[in-house]
Amino acid sequence: MEIIKIYKNYEKLIESELEVRGWIRNNRRQKDIGFIDLSDGTCFKKIQIVYDKDTKDFESIKKIHFGSSIKVIGKLIASPKEDQKFELKAKEVYLIGDCQEDYPLQPKAHSKELLRSIAYLRPRTTLFQAVFRVRSVLSMAIHEYFQKHGFLYLHAPIITASDCEGAGEMFQITTQDLDEIAKSGKVRYEDEFFGKKVGLSVSTQFEAETFAQSFSKVYTFGPTFRADKSHTPYHVAEFWQIEPEVAFCDLEGIMDIAEELVKYVIKYILKHCKDEMEYLDKYVENGLIDRLKKVLKCKFKRVTYKECIDILKKSDKEFEFKPEYGSDIAKEHEKYLTDYFKCPFFLTMWPKELKAFYMKQNEDGTVAGADLEMPGIGEVFGMSEREVDLDKLVSRMKELDMKIEEYEWYIKLRKYGTCKRSGFGIGFERLVMYITGMDNIKDVIPYPRVHKSCDY
Amino acid sequence: MEIIKIYKNYEKLIESELEVRGWIRNNRRQKDIGFIDLSDGTCFKKIQIVYDKDTKDFESIKKIHFGSSIKVIGKLIASPKEDQKFELKAKEVYLIGDCQEDYPLQPKAHSKELLRSIAYLRPRTTLFQAVFRVRSVLSMAIHEYFQKHGFLYLHAPIITASDCEGAGEMFQITTQDLDEIAKSGKVRYEDEFFGKKVGLSVSTQFEAETFAQSFSKVYTFGPTFRADKSHTPYHVAEFWQIEPEVAFCDLEGIMDIAEELVKYVIKYILKHCKDEMEYLDKYVENGLIDRLKKVLKCKFKRVTYKECIDILKKSDKEFEFKPEYGSDIAKEHEKYLTDYFKCPFFLTMWPKELKAFYMKQNEDGTVAGADLEMPGIGEVFGMSEREVDLDKLVSRMKELDMKIEEYEWYIKLRKYGTCKRSGFGIGFERLVMYITGMDNIKDVIPYPRVHKSCDY
């Protein structure tokens, strides 16, 4: 029986004989009695196995290694302890798979750095049981939100010949033998699998726009890639992104959706990952649950870039980067502003020079774009109304010296039944960090891919 | 108001004034009256707009092009027609975005080949509205099935240095400038972004196995890649795969899950995509819905490879490939067998030479693997119990001359608390084909990537 089922139905199961299977997270032996914490990963909680001289092969059970998989047959009994409602009194314990002595994990705390170097084993630790369960349930929360609201889930292509927003350096894909190129001194793009130079997608926004212009409401949720060499706690080369796109929707409308989504997924996690969140609150970020609950109570403010610069200029604080109209909002500014508003807020109407070419241009030189700023973390994700006027789009692209011909299909959307349209892009790992309180992106993704590291 | 909301609540809305926005799928004009079929993609059905001389700017509405986006304000009235419960009597119609004369779509049937060449526009056609909605809802059905049953959703890495099963040629990823390699005559793997040769994942099974050994039940659902040059209706270079992996589960157990999943998603689609499925039944595959309903009623048989060869040998049919013990099951054999059983069945216990190295070896030279065979399509997907014995796994890998050192982390799973484990891998697009009746994989994926084509 799965451990989660025992927790769900223990009142009915007390005094029943059960069989459980799982991995030993602890085996505390005394002379006449032993206690095993057994996890099968179906729920965050472990079950306590009690064995003693009445248990078959008592002495050899004592010797079973930490990390081994076992099968236990026993009786579920009410437990005398206050924080534990039941335990399994073992009749028989069978070793399924031994865990050999060179096992890198031990029943003690390991540094996150060490655990990163054994990414294939770290899901066995309590911390990563919590983090990866939250990640999984959060994915489901996102799908549920969008599907409930009638959005179409779009699987945008990963392999692409277009470079989207020029947002970051792209990884190139090749089927040519590099050594052969070196030897022959010739690159044969025409021999490439796709007959041309292609790479890994950095964003799925443009594909989402094509589908939004027929399904009205669409979202993507898939991996995207940037060959970014930054060594920071916020950067990985491969990450999952969620990019909704909504037709007939302006910036105000998309901010409404962004706010609703953030609140929906927080509620969902607090409801469905209670044990995991309590653990993270206790061991990762004190006050985590309160921080998230506070967000649920706020109405997110909407403040223009100009208003923000005014606030920063008026403040007494000595900033490293002096706030100026036309300059970007630095991390320290974000921090000041989120402290100032004490609530998540949308920072709107940026000077066009600071934002991407596809954002709707206002008459005053700003664009209809916004960043969602959250206390304690700063910018979480950005959104915008799109420039859907063909001429304005093309002239902005020319200003920026972009290769118009590479975006032909994207531009043509504006010729064929164009409409107002807005969307946003959430870096999924950053959202997981925000919700788990984890401070390094490498610790919220199963197998992080970063500069100089592609391991297991 | 979204068209889906009108369909859901039309009884309450009759005689109300409404505003709708969408794209013109047809504009039939007569002298004194006109009819527009308007779609906003929120549901499969369109809404009929009626306009006449009472409508503002009557004559200019007549001239609005097919494909244009419009806003309509009007009154919802009960319709006299039998197959249409209501229509919108327009007071005002506003052009939002004109659709210019060179629009490649027209209100008539287009060949699927033509539509493939304008993939960014084809979601606007009725056929692709059906197919891509089913694809989206089917994705959700899969997530729901697994999450309801406590599986952890794992985002396995796309970029990998290991080649998994050697299942197909891998795409290589590089950040080196190929022209520079040609010029200098030198490949610098040490300068690569990841410091070594890496490529795009062909399967996420091994990563799923690592997580199954701590969460018991996991699944992946993400893109995988094969540089396969086959030009068939079944091959694309980029496709989505679902790979569940279950600890403490044998082949029988994983077949139970596979059968339950297939039935769950069929039921889900028949319930949630009624209009789309009726359209596909009428225009794509006559009898589609009946075919699927039949599957729900069957208990899937389990037949060994040996039994299947016996049946094939005994048959009177002239096969192109003579059935022989030890030979693969050809398409024509699959067809014969599914006709014979008249029901989906699992073809089990294959000779080990025909299957992958990681499958559990039986004493008689077979492996604990199975393929699910479905009437009308043949093999849909495969599954197996894994070889979890370290020595047997390694000796099989050596027999096959595999590079043991590339699989170190995978092999080590067998040293650290190994356990019985099984899983399967569904090619998502093949499942979409099976459920929609579409006969070309390029028509069930938004932007197909195939040999010599990576377009929009």
Side-chain angles (χ1 to χ4, degrees):
Chain A
M1 182 175 283
E2 292 174 0
I3 295 175
I4 193 170
K5 288 185 181 150
I6 301 178
Y7 272 95
K8 279 187 178 163
N9 303 302
Y10 71 91
E11 283 163 331
K12 286 183 210 152
L13 292 169
I14 291 284
E15 296 298 314
S16 310
E17 185 168 296
L18 301 176
E19 180 183 313
V20 296
R21 284 168 293 190
W23 295 273
I24 295 180
R25 298 286 179 242
N26 209 347
N27 188 357
R28 302 183 304 284
R29 313 107 182 185
Q30 294 164 18
K31 189 164 172 286
D32 298 321
I33 195 165
F35 302 93
I36 289 171
D37 292 332
L38 192 74
S39 164
D40 70 357
T42 59
C43 65
F44 186 66
K45 291 192 189 112
K46 301 164 189 81
I47 188 169
Q48 174 156 297
I49 311 291
V50 188
Y51 61 96
D52 58 21
K53 291 195 166 166
D54 296 336
T55 311
K56 203 178 144 197
D57 302 326
F58 174 63
E59 288 301 329
S60 54
I61 300 169
K62 281 191 184 178
K63 290 180 202 128
I64 300 181
H65 296 130
F66 172 76
S68 300
S69 54
I70 58 170
K71 178 168 98 174
V72 182
I73 298 167
K75 194 198 266 186
L76 197 72
I77 55 172
S79 164
K81 284 195 220 159
E82 210 177 296
D83 60 339
Q84 180 187 294
K85 302 215 167 71
F86 54 81
E87 54 193 27
L88 192 67
K89 177 88 178 57
K91 270 173 60 179
E92 296 158 51
V93 175
Y94 298 100
L95 177 66
I96 297 175
D98 179 31
C99 191
Q100 298 181 19
E101 301 272 5
D102 61 346
Y103 189 43
L105 290 175
Q106 290 306 322
K108 56 162 196 167
H110 299 84
S111 77
K112 292 197 205 96
E113 289 70 25
L114 172 81
L115 292 172
R116 252 172 246 151
S117 72
I118 44 169
Y120 77 111
L121 295 176
R122 66 179 179 168
R124 303 174 181 204
T125 63
T126 309
L127 174 64
F128 287 98
Q129 286 267 314
V131 170
F132 290 130
R133 180 64 69 179
V134 170
R135 183 179 171 112
S136 166
V137 174
L138 188 58
S139 302
M140 189 58 183
I142 287 163
H143 281 298
E144 265 197 34
Y145 174 83
F146 285 118
Q147 297 266 344
K148 261 190 191 168
H149 289 83
F151 285 68
L152 183 107
Y153 180 28
L154 168 67
H155 289 136
I158 307 299
I159 300 174
T160 179
S162 83
D163 166 7
C164 189
E165 35 183 322
E169 213 181 319
M170 271 179 98
F171 288 107
Q172 189 179 342
I173 297 167
T174 182
T175 46
Q176 293 181 76
D177 183 332
L178 302 192
D179 296 314
E180 188 52 44
I181 294 177
K183 214 195 287 172
S184 69
K186 265 185 196 158
V187 189
R188 299 179 200 275
Y189 283 111
E190 64 285 5
D191 288 349
E192 282 283 3
F193 187 88
F194 293 109
K196 59 183 163 190
K197 191 172 169 177
V198 298
L200 294 179
S201 177
V202 298
S203 160
T204 60
Q205 175 193 322
F206 292 179
E207 290 88 347
E209 286 194 46
T210 64
F211 270 61
Q213 215 164 302
S214 46
F215 285 98
S216 278
K217 301 195 292 188
V218 306
Y219 71 108
T220 65
F221 188 176
T224 46
F225 305 83
R226 301 210 180 150
D228 188 329
K229 290 181 183 164
S230 313
H231 286 260
T232 83
Y234 304 101
H235 288 87
V236 277
E238 174 180 332
F239 53 99
W240 284 61
Q241 260 196 113
I242 303 131
E243 295 183 278
E245 187 74 25
V246 185
F248 309 113
C249 178
D250 60 14
L251 183 63
E252 290 294 321
I254 203 72
M255 288 192 283
D256 290 341
I257 292 172
E259 179 171 349
E260 198 181 69
L261 173 69
V262 167
K263 289 177 173 174
Y264 183 92
V265 302
I266 289 176
K267 260 187 231 161
Y268 196 98
I269 291 296
L270 292 176
K271 184 177 169 190
H272 290 94
C273 295
K274 230 170 154 295
D275 295 330
E276 289 83 354
M277 291 304 287
E278 278 167 15
Y279 175 88
L280 294 167
D281 191 296
K282 199 164 170 186
Y283 295 105
V284 172
E285 181 191 325
N286 275 305
L288 171 66
I289 293 174
D290 272 349
R291 166 164 72 72
L292 295 173
K293 281 187 175 164
K294 234 171 161 176
V295 171
L296 297 180
K297 284 182 210 143
C298 287
K299 169 79 192 132
F300 299 4
K301 286 198 176 58
R302 292 160 193 206
V303 192
T304 65
Y305 168 87
K306 192 176 166 305
E307 287 165 338
C308 287
I309 297 287
D310 287 343
I311 292 165
L312 293 169
K313 276 180 169 289
K314 273 184 213 143
S315 93
D316 304 330
K317 198 167 152 68
E318 285 282 328
F319 293 111
E320 195 188 335
F321 298 95
K322 214 173 150 233
E324 288 292 351
Y325 301 109
S327 300
D328 212 346
I329 303 279
K331 275 266 161 221
E332 55 176 342
H333 304 148
E334 290 181 343
K335 191 175 168 352
Y336 182 86
L337 290 164
T338 51
D339 287 349
Y340 181 91
F341 291 114
K342 292 185 186 65
C343 180
F345 72 97
F346 293 103
L347 206 169
T348 70
M349 304 301 158
W350 293 70
K352 69 174 180 182
E353 292 74 19
L354 296 177
K355 291 289 174 188
F357 75 94
Y358 52 71
M359 294 190 184
K360 183 174 184 260
Q361 299 166 51
N362 298 316
E363 305 243 311
D364 64 355
T366 64
V367 287
D371 286 348
L372 177 57
E373 303 276 346
M374 307 280 261
I377 184 164
E379 190 220 321
V380 182
F381 59 88
M383 64 212 73
S384 71
E385 193 173 326
R386 316 309 189 187
E387 184 53 80
V388 295
D389 180 279
L390 182 72
D391 296 333
K392 283 190 192 164
L393 181 72
V394 171
S395 77
R396 181 74 183 133
M397 292 175 77
K398 283 184 181 158
E399 266 174 44
L400 296 168
D401 260 338
M402 293 176 66
K403 288 184 198 149
I404 308 282
E405 63 281 6
E406 278 186 15
Y407 298 85
E408 207 188 340
W409 57 278
Y410 179 67
I411 293 166
K412 273 189 181 167
L413 277 183
R414 278 85 187 149
K415 282 176 69 177
Y416 303 139
T418 192
C419 66
K420 193 177 288 185
R421 191 163 56 240
S422 300
F424 54 88
I426 302 183
F428 181 60
E429 282 72 18
R430 299 217 180 156
L431 189 63
V432 180
M433 289 171 74
Y434 179 73
I435 284 181
T436 57
M438 297 291 283
D439 59 9
N440 193 313
I441 194 170
K442 298 181 203 72
D443 297 327
V444 300
I445 186 164
Y447 293 98
R449 268 66 185 107
V450 293
H451 187 223
K452 295 293 172 200
S453 166
C454 179
D455 300 315
Y456 285 93
Chain B
M1 181 173 282
E2 292 175 357
I3 295 174
I4 192 171
K5 290 189 178 147
I6 301 178
Y7 272 95
K8 279 187 178 161
N9 303 301
Y10 71 91
E11 283 163 331
K12 285 182 211 154
L13 292 170
I14 291 283
E15 296 298 313
S16 311
E17 185 168 296
L18 301 176
E19 182 184 310
V20 297
R21 284 167 292 189
W23 295 273
I24 295 178
R25 300 284 180 243
N26 209 345
N27 188 357
R28 302 181 304 285
R29 312 106 184 185
Q30 294 165 16
K31 190 164 170 288
D32 299 320
I33 195 165
F35 302 93
I36 289 171
D37 292 333
L38 192 73
S39 165
D40 69 358
T42 59
C43 66
F44 187 66
K45 291 189 190 117
K46 301 165 188 80
I47 187 169
Q48 174 156 296
I49 312 291
V50 188
Y51 60 98
D52 59 20
K53 291 198 167 166
D54 296 337
T55 312
K56 203 179 144 198
D57 302 326
F58 173 64
E59 287 303 327
S60 53
I61 300 169
K62 281 190 183 180
K63 288 180 203 130
I64 301 181
H65 296 131
F66 171 76
S68 300
S69 53
I70 58 170
K71 177 168 100 174
V72 182
I73 297 166
K75 193 198 267 186
L76 197 73
I77 55 173
S79 165
K81 283 194 218 160
E82 209 177 296
D83 58 341
Q84 180 188 296
K85 301 214 168 74
F86 53 82
E87 55 193 27
L88 192 68
K89 177 86 179 55
K91 269 171 61 179
E92 297 158 51
V93 176
Y94 298 98
L95 177 65
I96 297 175
D98 179 32
C99 191
Q100 297 181 20
E101 300 273 5
D102 60 348
Y103 190 42
L105 292 174
Q106 289 306 320
K108 56 162 195 169
H110 299 85
S111 79
K112 291 198 205 96
E113 288 70 24
L114 172 81
L115 292 173
R116 251 172 246 153
S117 72
I118 44 169
Y120 77 110
L121 296 175
R122 67 181 179 168
R124 304 175 180 204
T125 63
T126 309
L127 174 64
F128 287 98
Q129 286 268 313
V131 170
F132 290 130
R133 178 65 69 180
V134 170
R135 183 179 171 112
S136 166
V137 174
L138 188 57
S139 303
M140 188 60 185
I142 286 162
H143 280 297
E144 266 198 31
Y145 174 83
F146 285 117
Q147 298 265 346
K148 261 189 190 169
H149 289 83
F151 285 68
L152 183 106
Y153 179 29
L154 167 67
H155 289 136
I158 307 300
I159 300 175
T160 179
S162 83
D163 168 5
C164 190
E165 37 183 321
E169 214 182 318
M170 268 177 101
F171 289 107
Q172 188 180 342
I173 297 167
T174 182
T175 48
Q176 293 181 76
D177 183 331
L178 303 192
D179 295 314
E180 189 52 43
I181 294 177
K183 218 198 281 174
S184 68
K186 267 186 193 153
V187 189
R188 299 178 199 276
Y189 283 112
E190 65 284 5
D191 287 351
E192 283 281 6
F193 187 88
F194 293 108
K196 58 184 164 188
K197 192 171 168 179
V198 298
L200 294 178
S201 177
V202 298
S203 162
T204 60
Q205 177 193 320
F206 293 179
E207 291 87 349
E209 287 194 44
T210 65
F211 270 61
Q213 215 163 304
S214 47
F215 285 98
S216 278
K217 302 195 292 189
V218 305
Y219 71 108
T220 65
F221 187 177
T224 46
F225 304 84
R226 302 210 179 150
D228 188 329
K229 291 181 180 163
S230 314
H231 286 260
T232 83
Y234 304 101
H235 288 86
V236 277
E238 173 181 331
F239 54 98
W240 284 61
Q241 260 196 113
I242 302 131
E243 295 182 278
E245 188 75 25
V246 185
F248 309 112
C249 178
D250 60 13
L251 184 63
E252 290 295 320
I254 204 72
M255 287 192 285
D256 289 341
I257 293 172
E259 179 171 351
E260 198 180 69
L261 173 69
V262 167
K263 288 177 174 174
Y264 183 91
V265 302
I266 290 176
K267 259 187 231 159
Y268 196 98
I269 290 296
L270 292 177
K271 183 176 167 193
H272 290 94
C273 294
K274 230 171 153 288
D275 294 331
E276 289 84 354
M277 291 305 287
E278 278 167 15
Y279 175 88
L280 293 167
D281 190 297
K282 200 163 170 186
Y283 295 104
V284 172
E285 181 191 325
N286 275 304
L288 171 67
I289 293 174
D290 273 349
R291 166 164 71 72
L292 295 173
K293 282 188 174 164
K294 236 172 161 173
V295 172
L296 297 180
K297 284 183 208 141
C298 287
K299 169 81 191 131
F300 298 4
K301 285 197 176 60
R302 292 160 193 208
V303 192
T304 66
Y305 168 86
K306 189 174 168 307
E307 288 165 336
C308 286
I309 297 287
D310 287 344
I311 291 165
L312 292 168
K313 277 182 168 290
K314 275 185 209 142
S315 92
D316 304 331
K317 198 167 153 70
E318 285 283 329
F319 291 112
E320 195 187 334
F321 297 96
K322 217 175 148 231
E324 288 293 353
Y325 301 109
S327 300
D328 211 346
I329 303 279
K331 273 266 159 221
E332 56 177 341
H333 305 147
E334 290 181 344
K335 194 180 167 346
Y336 183 85
L337 290 164
T338 50
D339 287 349
Y340 181 91
F341 291 114
K342 293 186 187 64
C343 181
F345 72 97
F346 293 103
L347 205 168
T348 71
M349 304 301 157
W350 291 70
K352 69 174 182 182
E353 293 75 18
L354 296 178
K355 291 289 176 189
F357 75 94
Y358 52 72
M359 293 190 186
K360 182 177 184 256
Q361 298 167 51
N362 298 316
E363 304 244 309
D364 63 356
T366 65
V367 286
D371 286 348
L372 177 59
E373 303 275 347
M374 306 281 260
I377 184 164
E379 189 219 322
V380 183
F381 59 89
M383 65 212 71
S384 73
E385 193 173 325
R386 315 308 187 186
E387 183 53 80
V388 295
D389 180 278
L390 182 74
D391 297 335
K392 282 191 192 165
L393 181 73
V394 171
S395 77
R396 181 71 184 134
M397 291 175 80
K398 282 184 182 158
E399 265 174 47
L400 295 169
D401 260 338
M402 292 175 68
K403 287 183 199 147
I404 308 282
E405 63 281 7
E406 278 186 15
Y407 298 85
E408 207 188 338
W409 56 278
Y410 180 67
I411 292 165
K412 274 190 179 164
L413 276 183
R414 277 86 186 148
K415 281 178 69 177
Y416 304 139
T418 192
C419 66
K420 194 176 284 183
R421 191 163 56 240
S422 300
F424 55 88
I426 302 182
F428 181 61
E429 281 72 19
R430 298 217 179 154
L431 188 63
V432 180
M433 289 171 76
Y434 179 72
I435 284 181
T436 56
M438 296 291 284
D439 59 10
N440 194 311
I441 194 169
K442 297 181 203 74
D443 297 328
V444 300
I445 187 164
Y447 293 99
R449 269 68 184 106
V450 295
H451 187 222
K452 297 291 172 203
S453 164
C454 179
D455 299 315
Y456 285 92

